[in-house]
Amino acid sequence: MLRNTSSGYGRVAIFFHWTMALLIVGMLALGLYMQSLPQTDPATFQLYQLHKSIGFVVLALAVLRLVWRAVNPSPRLPESMTPLERTAAHLGHAGLYGLLFLLPLTGWFMVSASPWGIPTIVFNVLHVPHLPLPEILGDKAQAESLFKMLHAYGAYLMIALTVAHIAAALKHHYIARDNTLKRMLSTSSARASI
C-alpha cells in the first residue's frame, strides 16, 4: 500500500472522523444512561431501538471508512514523534478501528441471542434479521450473557481509548505544537482536498 506523503487529511476523511466521533460519544453516553433505567421504564424500549439503530449506522460508516482509508492512506505522522509515540499512535488507531466493528457486532449478536426475541428495526424503517448463533456458545441465555459482557467491556475500552486519543491530540497541539490536530480540522494542509 502506498503511504500518503501529504501532511493533512481530505474532506472525506475529516467528515468520517468527526461524524463517527460524535456518534460514538453519543452512543457511549446513551449506553451508560440506558444501564441506569429499569427494564420496565416506558422509555427503555425506544432508547434501545435508537441505540441499535445508531449502532448500525456506526457499523456501516466503519466499513465505508475502512474502504476509504484503503484507497486513501493516512498522511505520515509528524517527524518529531518518537518511535514509542508512533507505536502508541498505531496501536491506538488499530484499537479504535477494531472497536468500531466489535461494539456494533457484539450488540447485534447480543440482541440475536436474547431469549426475548425483540426485533431490531433501524429507525423504525428497516428490519434487521437476527444473526445465527454457533451452538458452541450454549443456549440463548448463555450466549446473550457472553455478548453482553463483551459489549460492556468493549464500551469501557472505547471510552479509555477515546480519552487517550483526545489527550494525545491535545498534547500534540499544546505541548508539541505540531499540526497533528490541525490537519484533522482543516484541509488547508492537504494537497488533495477530496
Side-chain angles (χ1 to χ4, degrees):
M1 179 191 314
L2 293 174
R3 188 78 182 147
N4 187 346
T5 56
S6 71
S7 60
Y9 291 91
R11 288 186 184 105
V12 173
I14 291 172
F15 168 81
F16 276 131
H17 180 273
W18 292 109
T19 300
M20 294 184 79
L22 289 172
L23 288 173
I24 289 162
V25 168
M27 286 290 280
L28 291 169
L30 181 57
L32 291 171
Y33 173 69
M34 288 182 338
Q35 284 185 329
S36 69
L37 293 176
Q39 294 295 321
T40 56
D41 188 306
T44 301
F45 178 79
Q46 289 304 323
L47 288 176
Y48 271 86
Q49 289 297 332
L50 177 62
H51 188 78
K52 292 188 290 183
S53 296
I54 297 171
F56 280 106
V57 171
V58 169
L59 182 59
L61 286 174
V63 170
L64 292 173
R65 184 175 184 177
L66 202 59
V67 169
W68 180 258
R69 187 166 177 178
V71 295
N72 295 280
S74 297
R76 66 182 185 274
L77 295 171
E79 296 297 327
S80 60
M81 289 178 69
T82 67
L84 181 60
E85 287 175 319
R86 289 174 183 274
T87 299
H90 290 304
L91 290 175
H93 282 111
L96 288 169
Y97 270 97
L99 289 169
L100 288 175
F101 289 93
L102 180 74
L103 285 171
L105 290 173
T106 56
W108 192 0
F109 272 111
M110 180 173 53
V111 168
S112 300
S114 173
W116 294 44
I118 297 172
T120 297
I121 304 171
V122 176
F123 298 113
N124 294 320
V125 174
L126 178 66
H127 182 272
V128 178
H130 289 158
L131 294 171
L133 300 167
E135 289 183 21
I136 194 168
L137 297 177
D139 63 21
K140 282 194 162 211
Q142 291 170 314
E144 181 189 34
S145 178
L146 171 67
F147 288 116
K148 188 174 187 176
M149 179 190 69
L150 292 172
H151 195 69
Y153 285 136
Y156 290 121
L157 182 56
M158 177 65 92
I159 291 169
L161 286 177
T162 300
V163 169
H165 186 71
I166 293 167
L170 294 175
K171 178 256 181 199
H172 280 284
H173 189 72
Y174 290 107
I175 297 172
R177 297 193 180 276
D178 60 30
N179 71 343
T180 300
L181 179 60
K182 288 179 186 174
R183 66 187 189 171
M184 192 46 83
L185 295 171
S186 169
T187 60
S188 62
S189 61
R191 280 192 293 189
S193 60
I194 248 182

